Amino acid sequence: MLFRSENAWRKARWQAAIYPLSVGALSVCLTAGLSFLIAQRISRRLRNLESQTAAIAGGDFREIAVQSRDDELRDLEISVNRMTSRLRELEGTIARSERERLLAQLAGGLAHQLRNAATGAKLALQLHARRCASAGQDQSVTVALRQLALLETQVRGLLSLGRNEPRPDRKSTRLNS
């Protein structure tokens, strides 16, 4: 029995190889299927992150739901949510600073007009005081000049707000002596 026929030899080889080949083919199919499912799951999460970042770029600062699975994509989702929150805060800060800048410009323009009107009234009162003999006895011109000086001080304060000048330091005092 040392010599076998060629067909018997092939049949024996095939029978010896069929089991490992079938196990290998089944393993390859299962691995491919499992890899496909895992890739689909990761791809879906990546597409969600991509659409969220596109929405952020478009100005939509809503946060996304964070997956409960502790992995790198979850860390990325948390980072995107932090970025979204920070951008929302910065957008509010920009809007507030724009409003403040606009109000400062408006206050500066109004203060400039008030200062011009107060200066004109002050000059008119001073001319009236010089020309009229009874103006020296009348205290109303003096009171009006004092009020105009107070108005001019307040208008200067408004103008300094419009130019973002530093305001004088305030001194702290105790109320209960």
Side-chain angles (χ1 to χ4, degrees):
M1 220 28 190
L2 196 57
F3 297 105
R4 287 187 172 183
S5 71
E6 185 78 24
N7 285 337
W9 180 248
R10 282 188 194 142
K11 188 176 180 185
R13 271 192 318 193
W14 180 249
Q15 285 176 349
I18 190 75
Y19 180 71
L21 285 176
S22 61
V23 169
L26 182 62
S27 295
V28 167
C29 288
L30 286 175
T31 303
L34 191 58
S35 296
F36 179 76
L37 290 175
I38 291 171
Q40 285 293 87
R41 177 181 256 166
I42 291 172
S43 294
R44 188 176 330 112
R45 290 176 68 192
L46 285 173
R47 279 193 302 275
N48 287 342
L49 278 170
E50 180 187 14
S51 66
Q52 174 62 20
T53 53
I56 290 169
D60 181 9
F61 300 131
R62 284 182 283 161
E63 294 181 2
I64 57 174
V66 176
Q67 298 289 323
S68 60
R69 186 172 294 111
D70 190 17
D71 60 0
E72 290 81 6
L73 287 177
R74 180 177 183 264
D75 295 341
L76 186 59
E77 290 167 343
I78 290 170
S79 295
V80 166
N81 281 344
R82 268 193 230 124
M83 178 183 65
T84 300
S85 174
R86 184 70 178 130
L87 285 171
R88 193 173 37 246
E89 290 171 11
L90 289 173
E91 184 181 48
T93 301
I94 289 170
R96 278 190 302 277
S97 68
E98 283 294 315
R99 279 193 303 269
E100 289 170 3
R101 187 182 63 78
L102 183 63
L103 284 173
Q105 263 185 330
L106 184 63
L110 180 63
H112 182 70
Q113 293 300 323
L114 283 172
R115 185 172 64 178
N116 288 346
T119 302
K122 183 178 176 182
L123 287 173
L125 281 171
Q126 288 171 341
L127 281 174
H128 175 72
R130 283 187 193 152
R131 290 184 181 165
C132 292
S134 65
Q137 300 165 349
D138 190 8
Q139 293 295 321
S140 61
V141 173
T142 307
V143 170
L145 286 172
R146 256 194 323 241
Q147 290 299 313
L148 285 171
L150 178 65
L151 178 64
E152 188 176 340
T153 302
Q154 291 170 346
V155 167
R156 258 190 257 121
L158 269 177
L159 284 171
S160 71
L161 280 177
R163 290 187 297 257
N164 290 327
E165 292 177 356
R167 298 173 75 179
D169 291 335
R170 295 181 180 179
K171 296 180 184 175
S172 61
T173 58
R174 290 185 173 207
L175 294 177
N176 54 353
S177 298

